Amino acid sequence: MMNLKGNPELSQNNLMRPLLNYGIACMSMGFLIEETAPVVWRGLMVMSAIEKLLRQVDWGPLDYLVVDTPPGTGDVQLSISQNIPISGAVIVSTPQDIALVDAHKGAEMFRKVHVPVLGLIQNMSVFQCPKCKHRTHIFGADGARRLAQTLDLDILGDIPLHLNIRETSDTGQPIVFSQPESDEAKAYLRIAAEVVKRLPPPLK
């Protein structure tokens, strides 16, 4: 999605240098293993990998460090919560009931480990036909908004189900870079602004 691949180089301090594109430094387990190799780790192996990605990378000065985790409340989320100070968590969910169950659990888990939940993002919120412009709520309407009310959390924004987002992601050209004036890009930028508003200012 960021048009990055390859193995990270090592710095003089024997730290991995993150791969860089669009002004964003990225690190992923995908850079460290074969492209088609599955990551089937649990427990101590997960904790070791998280430690490597966080503390054995030459991040340099950062405004924000964003950690994208898989859905659920497993070893990855707990390891991160227990090993580094986290300014806030953002829960992303489609509006459908089965996804909202996991989103609810995720929000409660972060609260239990004293990580502030900044809000929810409703992904794939609506599909608009490119020909007739009719809007269809394929995954249901406003499920994440109802969950946000239940949890007394903010909705940070909605991301539509749109062909342009899928195409630009698959080609490694994020829509906020390749089509910055599009409605879809503006949806991402509004959400980013809402997240930043809820975070402490970066350290200088």
Side-chain angles (χ1 to χ4, degrees):
M1 295 170 78
M2 294 292 289
N3 198 24
L4 292 170
K5 61 175 60 177
N7 296 319
E9 297 178 353
L10 292 179
S11 71
Q12 290 182 338
N13 298 326
N14 212 33
L15 297 175
M16 293 182 291
R17 288 198 176 104
L19 277 61
L20 187 70
N21 203 6
Y22 307 115
I24 298 174
C26 299
M27 182 53 67
S28 167
M29 286 307 301
F31 301 153
L32 307 178
I33 61 175
E34 292 294 325
E35 187 171 346
T36 57
V39 179
V40 284
W41 297 346
R42 297 288 291 174
L44 291 175
M45 295 178 72
V46 171
M47 293 169 65
S48 174
I50 296 296
E51 178 76 13
K52 183 184 292 287
L53 293 176
L54 291 173
R55 303 193 189 281
Q56 296 180 33
V57 174
D58 185 10
W59 286 110
L62 294 173
D63 295 319
Y64 302 98
L65 178 64
V66 179
V67 181
D68 181 21
T69 68
T73 55
D75 293 331
V76 172
Q77 291 85 351
L78 285 173
S79 295
I80 293 170
S81 304
Q82 292 167 353
N83 283 285
I84 59 169
I86 301 177
S87 299
V90 173
I91 307 295
V92 182
S93 179
T94 59
Q96 67 189 114
D97 290 344
I98 194 69
L100 293 168
V101 171
D102 279 344
H104 194 156
K105 290 177 182 177
E108 294 292 0
M109 184 214 73
F110 282 117
R111 283 175 164 173
K112 190 163 287 190
V113 294
H114 309 294
V115 172
V117 180
L118 305 179
L120 275 74
I121 296 171
Q122 186 162 245
N123 195 20
M124 304 184 192
S125 58
V126 66
F127 172 74
Q128 180 173 288
C129 175
K131 292 185 178 180
C132 71
K133 305 303 181 185
H134 177 72
R135 291 162 64 87
T136 303
H137 294 89
I138 293 174
F139 296 106
D142 292 332
R145 293 183 180 277
R146 291 192 296 274
L147 177 59
Q149 290 178 342
T150 299
L151 295 171
D152 194 24
L153 293 172
D154 296 331
I155 280 284
L156 302 174
D158 295 75
I159 299 294
L161 178 62
H162 200 285
L163 182 63
N164 286 351
I165 296 175
R166 198 275 301 164
E167 288 180 339
T168 55
S169 297
D170 282 353
T171 57
Q173 297 181 311
I175 199 161
V176 294
F177 175 82
S178 57
Q179 300 177 26
E181 297 304 317
S182 66
D183 290 341
E184 297 77 48
K186 290 175 181 176
Y188 281 102
L189 295 173
R190 281 194 299 269
I191 288 171
E194 290 297 323
V195 171
V196 169
K197 270 172 33 180
R198 290 162 173 78
L199 290 171
L203 298 173
K204 298 299 183 184

